[in-house]
Amino acid sequence: MPARPSPSPDEPLELRDATPAQQWLAARGWQPFEFQRDVWRAVAEGRSGMLHATTGSGKTYAVWLGMLDQLLQRHPPARGAEPLRAIWLTPMRALASDTTKAIAEPLRDMAPEWTIGQRTGDTPSAERARQDRRFPTVLVTTPESLSLMLTREHAREELTGVEYVVVDEWHELIGSKRGVQTQLAIARLWRFNPRLVVWGLSATLGNLQEAMEVLCNPGLDPGPTSARPDGLRVAMTSAAAPLLVRGRIDKSLIIDTLIPPDPGKYSWAGHLGSRMQQPVVDEIAKSGTTLVFTNVRSQAEIWYQLLLEAKPEWAGEIALHHGSMDKATREWVEQGLKEGNLRAVVATSSLDLGVDFLPVERVLQIGSAKGVARMMQRAGRSGHAPGRASRLTLVPTNTMEIIEAAAARRAAHAGRVEQRDAPDQPLDVLVQHLVTIALGGGFQAEELYGEVRTAWSYRKLTQAEFDWALAFCSRGGDSLTAYPDYHRIALDEEGVWRVRERAIAKRHRLGIGTIVSDAAMQVKYMSGANLGTIEEGFIARLRKGDCFFFAGRLLEFIRAQDMAAYVKKATRKKGTVPTWQGSKMALSTELGDAVLEMMQRAAQGDFFEPELEAARPMLLTQQRLSRIPTPDTMLVETFKSREGYHLYVYPFAGRHVHLGLASLLAWRLAREKPNTFSMSVNDYGFELVSAEEFDLRPVVDQRVFTTANLLQDVLASLNSTELAQRRFREIARVAGLVFSGYPGQHKSAKQLQASSGLFFEVFRKYDKGNLLLTQAEREVLSQELEISRLRATLSRILRKPVDFAELRHPSPMSLPLMVERFREQLTTEQLSTRLDRILKDMEGDSAT
């Protein structure tokens, strides 16, 4: 994060003409990079923008030193602290401390009278009280805490002096409702101060121009002048156009693969995982400090135990880090990484973002990262400084992931990074924001409508939609009018909307935010020491004496009481591993395309990459029994077994899209002739199985892949009401319909689900025009089924000829889909027996 000496400085600084920031750098023997100078010039011109540069290249000082120079010019340091002038937004609490240290150093040297502080969910109450009396000059905070600041009665007076906002790791926020919350907060600050300058920082993002416009939209024209007061439009468009700065420095990115010995002809999800234990241990042993990334928390717990099992003497030298662990433990691990005291840390996305761990020399990624951007982000955790190479080693857990590793490397070096799109006007976030602003001094409807439309996600918000949200906040819409708790805002005699009830104000402040997760229980020793949190659903399945791994420890469950699970250290050797809710990561389009390109080379006999050479036995077996998928054809396989008739399709579009495609095809085939299908999906394709034979002609002639009536057919093929109700749980909590409880009195997951389910049914019966229901249906299509990507996948399929293969035995591509389905039906022992029989039959047939 801090700037570092340039390996090839362009010219010495002329100290007599240098700004304070340049003098500060020169005193340390540092030279700025050219992209840092570009940002300083833009900031001096009052321009907002976005800086896109590799991790560890000096983005923090690029924006901060430019802003600090301008602040010193406008407000020469004098006795006494300067009021709040700059806000630094970070997506993670863990980043706040590192960011504060980085920007405090030049601030302390150049303006010692000015103050800096943090305000996150972890900030002690005494520090909050101090800030409530007077904010520091620079505040490092999160989107949720900034929204809380906007609920303060005198928010306008306290925040009008803010001149700069920096949004760190913007790529992490833009695609979520937290990003929308950030847009709305910045639109409010822009309203307070039309000269506000906003900069975003990003390291891995494909759609840079659009990402900048999303963040800096209040500085652009949001649409027709009739949408808001003319005066607001003039104020919002007075600044110069935002600037996109790309920071290019010489920094090596090394991506290699830890190739398993003898991966074999057949493989399935996790097949090679345990066989990689010793190779991973060997790599850690010969490397410096190493980060071992997994995609999910349960996998992190497993791999931490695998490392300790192989090397018991490493106890105390390796650690575990994920978001469910106790804050004090996570901080201890982070400090150990910074000081170089740990040999390795097994982590999830909790360490993905820009915390500085300079001693980290190497990153291992267990399994596929599933996306190019995520892989590059994790690679940047190593060599986190200009001039140092970043090295990431991919550790495949099945043969397809070996091919995926080579594809990911080529895509990364070609710059084929995924884009991230902002959500389209989520009304639950808007409803929450209206109550927030009503608390923070109140608002007039016409003025706030114009302000909200300057946020990118609401640029197309109609007057009718805004009026509906206003009515929902004021009287609960058409169905909750009789309940005073949902009359959250009211007009005063001056025509200003305000929150009148203290109880409503308290509940709203406690519920601010868009991060919604299932109810979590504290995991505690009988002595009271806290280990972290775990989802209530997992604890509910435990009986007294059951053992499980958590936070790297084997624990025995004693009892659950008051939303806490009490445990003790287990004396047994074995236990289960908790599973956390949340879908598996899906393969991105960019990476899926890159994998198909790799397989095409193999189909042409070109095994030029070491990964392809390692996968050669599997690929040749696939070619012998069927075909190798390529970008120019759509591979479709059929197979008849004792179970029935199997259909396999391989679009390489990711598991979420394949779930929608499998449901759609099953419904369309059954419409032609009534039938019942079972299905399974993975990132490469999907399987349909029926006990009765079905007509394959609609598949071969591609009628079944048509995009005509797609929306109606998708909704008909799924239990769309159940999916929408599940999605509504999140919407209800963000919109403030469901309250999670006061501190120490949190409601259980069953209570929250029952409450949101009741609202869902009431709205469906008595308030069918409720736009939150419409939002739930839209989110099911856009987020769970990725309808736009599903439509694009169907269009791509229609442009390719079908490569049809009738199988005598399961192919290497189809077997993993069988295994996915077997896992839901069979025990581990039964699955192993079934696979052994299938493999013996295939080997016996190939021998004859």
Side-chain angles (χ1 to χ4, degrees):
M1 190 179 298
R4 290 286 178 259
S6 169
S8 55
D10 296 328
E11 57 184 15
L13 285 171
E14 295 292 341
L15 294 183
R16 64 179 180 273
D17 298 323
T19 65
Q22 291 172 329
Q23 292 176 13
W24 184 82
L25 283 176
R28 284 155 179 75
W30 294 347
Q31 293 283 341
F33 294 107
E34 189 56 39
F35 76 85
Q36 292 173 320
R37 295 179 190 271
D38 291 341
V39 174
W40 296 346
R41 284 190 288 268
V43 171
E45 294 167 2
R47 299 177 71 179
S48 297
M50 190 170 82
L51 170 59
H52 181 79
T54 55
T55 301
S57 60
K59 294 191 295 291
T60 300
Y61 280 169
V63 294
W64 175 233
L65 291 181
M67 293 174 178
L68 187 53
D69 262 341
Q70 297 307 307
L71 288 172
L72 290 170
Q73 284 184 31
R74 291 189 210 123
H75 313 284
R79 289 189 176 181
E82 186 74 12
L84 181 59
R85 297 294 184 197
I87 293 175
W88 194 289
L89 286 179
T90 171
M92 292 178 65
R93 299 174 190 177
L95 285 176
S97 295
D98 265 50
T99 300
T100 303
K101 290 175 185 174
I103 65 180
E105 191 177 353
L107 183 72
R108 189 168 50 245
D109 292 342
M110 287 184 263
E113 301 86 356
W114 293 3
T115 55
I116 186 170
Q118 296 178 43
R119 193 177 182 94
T120 70
D122 292 334
T123 302
S125 56
E127 173 62 19
R128 284 178 176 272
R130 202 161 32 244
Q131 292 178 8
D132 287 343
R133 292 190 293 273
R134 184 185 180 93
F135 281 123
T137 311
V138 183
L139 185 65
V140 180
T141 188
T142 60
E144 293 75 20
S145 292
L146 177 55
S147 292
L148 268 171
M149 291 165 63
L150 293 175
T151 67
R152 294 162 66 91
E153 184 179 357
H154 302 292
R156 182 182 294 268
E157 292 81 1
E158 293 170 335
L159 299 175
T160 294
V162 174
E163 300 177 24
Y164 295 103
V165 173
V166 179
V167 184
D168 208 350
E169 309 284 359
W170 177 230
H171 57 273
E172 194 68 23
L173 289 170
I174 183 175
S176 69
K177 290 181 181 179
R178 295 184 77 205
V180 177
Q181 186 179 25
T182 302
Q183 292 178 45
L184 288 169
I186 290 175
R188 190 65 177 162
L189 294 177
W190 233 304
R191 176 69 175 170
F192 293 163
N193 177 12
R195 297 183 181 278
L196 181 74
V197 172
V198 177
W199 276 80
L201 305 182
S202 172
T204 50
L205 198 57
N207 51 331
L208 296 175
Q209 185 68 33
E210 180 183 321
M212 180 186 69
E213 292 172 1
V214 171
L215 182 62
C216 302
N217 194 55
L220 305 172
D221 183 353
T225 56
S226 59
R228 66 252 180 255
D230 288 342
L232 180 61
R233 178 177 182 274
V234 171
M236 294 297 184
T237 59
S238 59
L243 178 69
L244 175 61
V245 177
R246 300 171 190 258
R248 293 185 174 89
I249 61 172
D250 292 330
K251 184 176 176 67
S252 297
L253 174 61
I254 302 169
I255 301 172
D256 54 19
T257 306
L258 190 57
I259 296 177
D262 188 23
K265 299 177 181 177
Y266 289 86
S267 186
W268 48 90
H271 173 231
L272 302 174
S274 59
R275 288 166 57 182
M276 299 305 292
Q277 177 188 23
Q278 192 57 47
V280 167
V281 168
D282 294 341
E283 293 300 313
I284 293 173
K286 67 184 183 184
S287 303
T289 302
T290 303
L291 275 177
V292 181
F293 276 112
T294 66
N295 289 341
V296 292
R297 285 169 282 187
S298 55
Q299 197 179 26
E301 293 275 357
I302 290 169
W303 270 93
Y304 177 74
Q305 296 299 328
L306 284 172
L307 295 183
L308 276 183
E309 177 186 286
K311 286 284 188 179
E313 65 272 22
W314 282 359
E317 297 180 42
I318 63 173
L320 177 66
H321 190 290
H322 60 68
S324 294
M325 293 171 60
D326 179 60
K327 174 176 175 279
T329 304
R330 295 198 311 268
E331 288 180 344
W332 176 85
V333 174
E334 291 162 17
Q335 193 60 36
L337 273 173
K338 292 173 187 175
E339 295 173 354
N341 297 331
L342 293 172
R343 181 188 295 271
V345 173
V346 184
T348 61
S349 57
S350 58
L351 291 182
D352 266 7
L353 301 182
V355 180
D356 276 338
F357 299 125
L358 294 181
V360 174
E361 294 182 4
R362 191 173 182 188
V363 170
L364 300 180
Q365 166 67 45
I366 305 294
S368 168
K370 296 301 176 186
V372 181
R374 185 180 300 110
M375 181 186 70
M376 294 175 68
Q377 183 76 29
R378 291 180 172 180
R381 298 300 97 219
S382 64
H384 199 274
R388 289 177 56 188
S390 294
R391 183 183 178 190
L392 179 136
T393 298
L394 296 158
V395 183
T397 61
N398 61 67
T399 307
M400 279 302 299
E401 285 183 351
I402 300 177
I403 302 169
E404 210 173 308
R409 180 175 61 245
R410 289 179 69 85
H413 289 314
R416 293 162 62 177
V417 180
E418 296 83 8
Q419 68 177 39
R420 303 191 190 188
D421 300 316
D424 183 30
Q425 59 185 55
L427 292 181
D428 54 345
V429 183
L430 176 60
V431 165
Q432 184 183 109
H433 186 68
L434 293 183
V435 181
T436 292
I437 303 307
L439 269 173
F443 65 86
Q444 293 182 328
E446 184 181 11
E447 185 179 271
L448 187 60
Y449 174 55
E451 177 185 311
V452 165
R453 274 183 51 95
T454 65
W456 173 272
S457 289
Y458 299 98
R459 67 198 184 282
K460 298 179 182 177
L461 184 74
T462 66
Q463 185 71 57
E465 289 166 332
F466 181 84
D467 290 345
W468 180 90
L470 190 65
F472 190 77
C473 292
S474 62
R475 55 183 175 82
D478 293 340
S479 54
L480 301 177
T481 306
Y483 300 93
D485 278 356
Y486 301 103
H487 301 184
R488 288 177 278 179
I489 63 177
L491 270 176
D492 66 10
E493 59 278 2
E494 297 175 353
V496 176
W497 290 95
R498 301 184 189 276
V499 175
R500 289 178 175 173
E501 300 294 331
R502 293 183 64 184
I504 290 175
K506 185 176 182 179
R507 284 202 303 269
H508 180 76
R509 288 190 173 104
L510 287 170
I512 273 185
T514 62
I515 302 175
V516 177
S517 58
D518 286 342
M521 300 182 72
Q522 297 288 325
V523 180
K524 295 183 176 183
Y525 283 129
M526 296 299 293
S527 63
N530 191 26
L531 293 171
T533 59
I534 203 166
E535 287 180 357
E536 181 186 12
F538 175 76
I539 296 297
R541 295 194 297 270
L542 297 179
R543 293 176 295 179
K544 183 178 180 180
D546 285 351
C547 296
F548 63 97
F549 289 102
F550 180 71
R553 301 170 173 88
L554 183 57
L555 306 171
E556 182 179 330
F557 176 67
I558 305 299
R559 69 170 185 269
Q561 181 179 337
D562 299 329
M563 293 304 288
Y566 288 92
V567 299
K568 67 179 182 180
K569 290 182 179 179
T571 55
R572 301 182 196 172
K573 299 294 184 184
K574 293 185 178 180
T576 60
V577 177
T579 55
W580 282 265
Q581 293 298 315
S583 60
K584 295 179 180 179
M585 293 178 179
L587 190 75
S588 72
T589 299
E590 289 77 6
L591 191 48
D593 289 346
V595 172
L596 280 172
E597 289 167 11
M598 279 286 161
M599 298 190 82
Q600 183 172 44
R601 301 295 291 267
Q604 297 167 347
D606 186 352
F607 296 88
F608 63 105
E609 299 280 4
E611 291 89 351
L612 286 182
E613 185 59 42
R616 184 196 284 258
M618 185 275 277
L619 290 166
L620 292 180
T621 303
Q622 174 69 28
Q623 193 169 45
R624 176 172 59 83
L625 295 178
S626 172
R627 314 276 195 281
I628 294 177
T630 72
D632 303 321
T633 58
M634 174 51 54
L635 176 62
V636 174
E637 298 174 337
T638 60
F639 176 60
K640 186 177 182 301
S641 72
R642 285 178 294 180
E643 291 181 280
Y645 298 85
H646 304 249
L647 173 70
Y648 301 96
V649 184
Y650 302 99
F652 281 71
R655 62 175 55 248
H656 296 162
V657 172
H658 292 160
L659 176 61
L661 278 175
S663 302
L664 177 68
L665 262 66
W667 187 82
R668 285 176 170 176
L669 289 171
R671 186 176 56 183
E672 302 248 342
K673 177 184 177 184
N675 205 343
T676 301
F677 291 92
S678 298
M679 65 184 70
S680 66
V681 302
N682 62 19
D683 278 317
Y684 316 112
F686 60 89
E687 174 195 42
L688 296 180
V689 187
S690 172
E692 297 181 19
E693 188 172 5
F694 52 92
D695 188 0
L696 289 172
R697 285 176 297 177
V699 178
V700 176
D701 64 22
Q702 299 185 316
R703 274 180 291 151
V704 78
F705 297 114
T706 179
T707 57
N709 301 315
L710 178 61
L711 186 60
Q712 298 92 316
D713 287 0
V714 166
L715 291 175
S717 71
L718 296 160
N719 187 348
S720 56
T721 301
E722 170 60 28
L723 290 173
Q725 181 170 358
R726 200 165 63 215
R727 176 61 61 174
F728 186 79
R729 294 171 191 166
E730 174 186 311
I731 291 171
R733 288 162 76 174
V734 172
L737 286 170
V738 177
F739 179 52
S740 300
Y742 294 103
Q745 302 174 12
H746 287 286
K747 295 180 181 179
S748 69
K750 286 185 178 179
Q751 290 173 311
L752 295 173
Q753 288 179 14
S755 298
S756 63
L758 178 61
F759 281 117
F760 183 81
E761 291 302 325
V762 167
F763 291 160
R764 285 184 68 216
K765 291 179 181 177
Y766 305 109
D767 190 6
K768 293 187 177 179
N770 192 298
L771 295 185
L772 295 182
L773 292 180
T774 306
Q775 181 184 333
E777 294 169 357
R778 192 170 67 239
E779 288 187 7
V780 166
L781 292 171
S782 64
Q783 297 180 31
E784 295 195 29
L785 299 178
E786 299 188 60
I787 190 71
S788 60
R789 194 175 167 197
L790 193 154
R791 184 185 298 276
T793 300
L794 286 172
S795 298
R796 294 173 71 176
I797 291 173
L798 291 170
R799 292 195 297 268
K800 303 177 181 182
V802 168
D803 198 356
F804 186 80
E806 190 171 348
L807 302 176
R808 292 177 57 196
H809 296 287
S811 69
M813 293 291 299
S814 66
L815 185 62
L817 287 163
M818 279 188 172
V819 173
E820 290 284 339
R821 186 164 43 81
F822 291 160
R823 279 180 172 149
E824 297 178 4
Q825 305 167 353
L826 307 175
T827 65
T828 304
E829 292 77 11
Q830 290 172 331
L831 175 60
S832 178
T833 302
R834 185 83 170 261
L835 286 171
D836 284 345
R837 187 174 69 245
I838 291 173
L839 294 174
K840 284 179 181 176
D841 288 347
M842 289 187 289
E843 291 297 329
D845 186 75
S846 63
T848 59

